[in-house]
Amino acid sequence: AGAAAATTPRTRFMRHLVEESRSQQRHRDAGGSIADGTSVLPVPALLRRLSAPRRIDLTGLGIGDDAAFALAVALPDVPTVAELSIRACRLTDESLAKVCTVATQLKSLKWLDCSENDFDSSTAILRKYLAEPDCSLEYLGLDSADIDDTECVEIMSAIERNTTLESLSLARNLIGQDELNNTLNDDIVTGGEAIASMLYANKALTHLDLSWNYIRKKSAQEVAKALRHNRALRSLKIAYNMLGNLPAQE
């Protein structure tokens, strides 16, 4: 029993954190300093609970990058996880890439919330996963995740072909900020235009949250036109964008 316990996800995760803390302490003892003045501490909440054995919920814990790296080490040993929330965990693009890479390899994953973290190039991992025919994801949360027009275009191009994703939340991002550049140069594709293209093609998505973005002008009109042809969507949140009168009349 002792040998088996030494290889459990819990043990691997805790060992990784302890080793990281010791490494930071040795760095301090040698006269160095940790930039943010913090150390990595074990976070029991990262472990599954008996009441929800297929869910790992780290919402709002602010675990930071080092603990996220430890999570990425442990996740492959928990292949039955269906729901993972790393919302508001103070993760940068580097740790998001690690966690998303491992999480998207879990065949049982249905629900993923990465909101309120700082995405950049790591969105490419999600885009690739969403475009794969064996993608199992049904919910994806990317609220307040620093998603701009370019990243939105990439994500939407993947969702056009996706057949499993039912709910997508992109509230409080930067989608639509390229609208002025699009007015001057038609070759620039805005996030709103990409969303419209997705709505024409996708037949699975039923819930979409675009509230608190910058969708306006031509992009807003394109979204409105696409909605007339989409028969799958049941819920759309688009409040607190700058739609104007014309899109509302479409």
Side-chain angles (χ1 to χ4, degrees):
T7 60
T8 64
R10 173 195 293 265
T11 304
R12 291 185 63 187
F13 171 71
M14 300 297 273
R15 183 188 299 123
H16 188 97
L17 289 184
V18 169
E19 289 174 353
E20 184 63 29
S21 283
R22 287 174 177 170
S23 174
Q24 291 185 1
Q25 187 59 52
R26 286 194 296 269
H27 183 65
R28 289 194 185 93
D29 292 343
S33 63
I34 304 301
D36 61 1
T38 63
S39 61
V40 181
L41 297 175
V43 184
L46 278 169
L47 307 175
R48 291 180 298 174
R49 298 167 181 163
L50 293 177
S51 59
R54 301 192 67 194
R55 183 178 187 184
I56 296 179
D57 188 356
L58 315 180
T59 302
L61 294 181
I63 62 174
D65 284 345
D66 290 321
F69 292 139
L71 173 64
V73 171
L75 268 180
D77 291 331
V78 198
T80 60
V81 168
E83 299 182 15
L84 173 63
S85 175
I86 51 174
R87 187 184 187 104
C89 280
R90 297 190 302 112
L91 305 187
T92 65
D93 196 59
E94 184 179 3
S95 62
L96 284 167
K98 292 285 187 182
V99 174
C100 289
T101 297
V102 176
T104 54
Q105 293 171 359
L106 299 174
K107 300 301 182 182
S108 59
L109 190 67
K110 303 290 186 185
W111 196 94
L112 178 63
D113 193 350
C114 301
S115 302
E116 298 181 49
N117 293 293
D118 189 11
F119 272 90
D120 193 9
S121 59
S122 54
T123 54
I125 298 167
L126 294 177
R127 177 199 65 207
K128 180 181 178 182
Y129 175 58
L130 290 166
E132 292 176 354
D134 59 348
C135 172
S136 61
L137 210 60
E138 296 176 0
Y139 171 83
L140 176 61
L142 290 171
D143 299 333
S144 300
D146 201 33
I147 303 296
D148 60 21
D149 284 88
T150 300
E151 292 159 344
C152 182
V153 169
E154 294 175 348
I155 292 171
M156 292 302 138
S157 67
I159 295 178
E160 284 186 15
R161 303 183 294 277
N162 187 282
T163 60
T164 61
L165 193 69
E166 298 175 356
S167 183
L168 174 65
S169 191
L170 288 166
R172 298 180 183 275
N173 279 295
L174 309 175
I175 302 168
Q177 287 194 339
D178 271 350
E179 188 64 42
L180 178 58
N181 293 330
N182 174 259
T183 302
L184 300 174
N185 183 355
D186 283 339
D187 291 335
I188 295 175
V189 180
T190 67
E193 290 174 326
I195 290 167
S197 295
M198 180 276 292
L199 289 172
Y200 276 112
N202 184 276
K203 301 295 188 295
L205 197 69
T206 58
H207 302 280
L208 178 60
D209 189 348
L210 301 172
S211 57
W212 293 96
N213 276 284
Y214 300 87
I215 300 171
R216 58 197 189 276
K217 297 184 178 180
K218 179 183 176 183
S219 295
Q221 289 180 270
E222 293 301 319
V223 171
K225 291 176 182 177
L227 288 172
R228 297 173 60 184
H229 298 271
N230 185 285
R231 295 293 180 265
L233 204 63
R234 295 291 176 265
S235 171
L236 172 64
K237 296 180 181 179
I238 200 167
Y240 298 100
N241 283 273
M242 295 174 279
L243 301 182
N245 290 327
L246 287 178
Q249 296 170 10
E250 289 288 343

